[in-house]
Amino acid sequence: MTANMGNLFRVGLTRDCLGTDGKTPVFDPAAFDVLRGETSLSFEILEEGGSEVTPEQAARYDALVVLVPRVTARTLAGSDRRLRIVAVGYDNVDTEACTRAGVVLTITPDGVRRSVATVILSFVLALSQKLFVKDRLTKSGRWNERTNHMGIGLTGKIFGSIGLGNIGREAFRLLRPLDMVHIACDPLARPDEAAALGVRLVDLDTLLREADFVSVSCPLSPETRHLVDAAALAKMRPTAFLINTARGPIVDEAALTDVLAARRIAGAALDVFDQEPTPADNPLLALDNVITTPHSLCWTDECFRRIAEDAFTSVVAVARGMAPVNVVNRAVLDDPGFAAALAARRKIVSGGQK
């Protein structure tokens, strides 16, 4: 038996789930089939947009699917214990406020693992082949300068990853055919997993000194903020490149700008910045030895479809009275109020409540 209208689990999607036309989803519309297949819920796009989900909006829903808008303590103050799950928007969600409110926050690591790893591969190839330099030479008719910008062969070069989580491991898998040497630093990495990938675990100093490509693939935390600072950058080879696809503040942006401007390292590729959107007068943008992209290079149809499907699957789990996977604030799963809400949902979907 399905739930009646009064028992429907209401799901709200922030308006940035639609494209600029305000009608077409930014992901494959077929992803909505995950929600349509669950008769115990209804879903809709929030009528109003904005940089923050309002308390009034949160109070109307059992679940929120959020891309960019922030979910704050103020947002959750209006939920009156109705809201139970926020899916997707990890960076812009106050995790501690969610925990206090008994709201689970779920993420979609499977949706971004391959897409971000592909960005890392793309950056390695673009930097080593001087792709963007040669693009500018061609467009400005400076063919005679092409021998001044010789590319770098990758056979035997050392790729070092700061972080050996989902994305770091996937990057090593994609890079394997290039015959590079693979090293990584990660205090939580399992030696057997690293060995199976052909990765040598080293400390951060060793990685910085040895790697031809230093790739940042670790989470942002108080411990990793400015992990790659002026002192760390000074340890890199003058021929080395820095890649950051994780979070901007992990790298000291001012220090990196100085190092690149002085050409004390060969170059960098950045998809993330200290402040996003980064200001138009950011001096990094004026340098010719850095590739910059607007924290979206991994945005592909495949990426967004999987993100949506994974987020919707978590929402459906809660609507059915089950604990979702990929929960950030797992303490909520032990919260008596949350447990009671799941039990109530199970009763509804089983037909025990009319």
Side-chain angles (χ1 to χ4, degrees), residues 44-279:
E44 63 186 19
I45 303 293
L46 272 59
E47 292 183 1
E48 300 152 5
S51 61
E52 180 181 355
V53 179
T54 68
E56 293 76 21
Q57 289 172 326
R60 295 199 293 266
Y61 298 102
D62 301 285
L64 287 172
V65 177
V66 181
L67 290 185
V68 175
R70 291 177 295 122
V71 174
T72 65
R74 175 178 172 273
T75 301
L76 299 171
S79 66
D80 194 28
R81 299 290 281 183
R82 175 172 185 168
L83 185 67
R84 287 302 174 187
I85 176 171
V86 174
V88 181
Y90 184 25
D91 283 347
N92 297 324
V93 177
D94 186 331
T95 306
E96 292 183 0
C98 283
T99 302
R100 291 194 299 270
V103 176
V104 292
L105 171 61
T106 64
I107 54 176
T108 59
D110 291 338
V112 299
R113 180 180 63 243
R114 170 56 67 92
S115 58
V116 177
T118 302
V119 172
I120 295 170
L121 171 62
S122 300
F123 277 156
V124 169
L125 296 174
L127 288 167
S128 64
Q129 301 300 325
K130 306 292 183 71
L131 178 62
F132 287 87
V133 174
K134 292 179 180 179
D135 172 73
R136 291 193 295 270
L137 293 182
T138 307
K139 290 176 178 176
S140 58
R142 295 153 55 200
W143 282 53
N144 61 321
E145 296 180 32
R146 55 188 171 171
T147 56
N148 297 336
H149 301 280
M150 197 66 67
I152 300 164
L154 295 176
T155 304
K157 293 296 190 294
I158 300 175
F159 177 87
S161 177
I162 300 176
L164 195 59
N166 283 335
I167 292 170
R169 293 195 299 270
E170 188 73 4
F172 282 121
R173 294 186 188 101
L174 293 182
L175 289 162
R176 187 176 295 154
L178 300 180
D179 293 327
M180 301 178 75
V181 176
H182 294 167
I183 62 176
C185 67
D186 187 330
L188 301 179
R190 290 173 44 185
D192 59 329
E193 285 188 348
L197 286 167
V199 176
R200 177 167 60 97
L201 291 176
V202 297
D203 59 34
L204 180 59
D205 280 1
T206 300
L207 185 144
L208 292 167
R209 295 184 192 281
E210 292 188 2
D212 296 291
F213 295 86
V214 174
S215 178
V216 180
S217 290
C218 61
L220 175 63
S221 68
E223 293 73 29
T224 62
R225 182 175 292 273
H226 284 191
L227 177 68
V228 182
D229 57 10
L233 292 165
K235 296 171 184 174
M236 291 178 60
R237 297 179 177 186
T239 55
F241 298 94
L242 177 75
I243 296 170
N244 189 4
T245 58
R247 293 295 181 267
I250 298 171
V251 177
D252 184 333
E253 198 168 281
L256 177 61
T257 302
D258 290 343
V259 167
L260 289 167
R263 300 192 179 273
R264 292 199 297 272
I265 64 173
L270 310 171
D271 190 46
V272 289
F273 298 87
D274 260 350
Q275 178 184 337
E276 296 183 0
T278 194

Side-chain angles (χ1 to χ4, degrees), residues 340-352:
L342 291 186
R345 290 304 308 171
R346 289 194 296 273
K347 187 175 183 181
I348 289 170
V349 297
S350 67

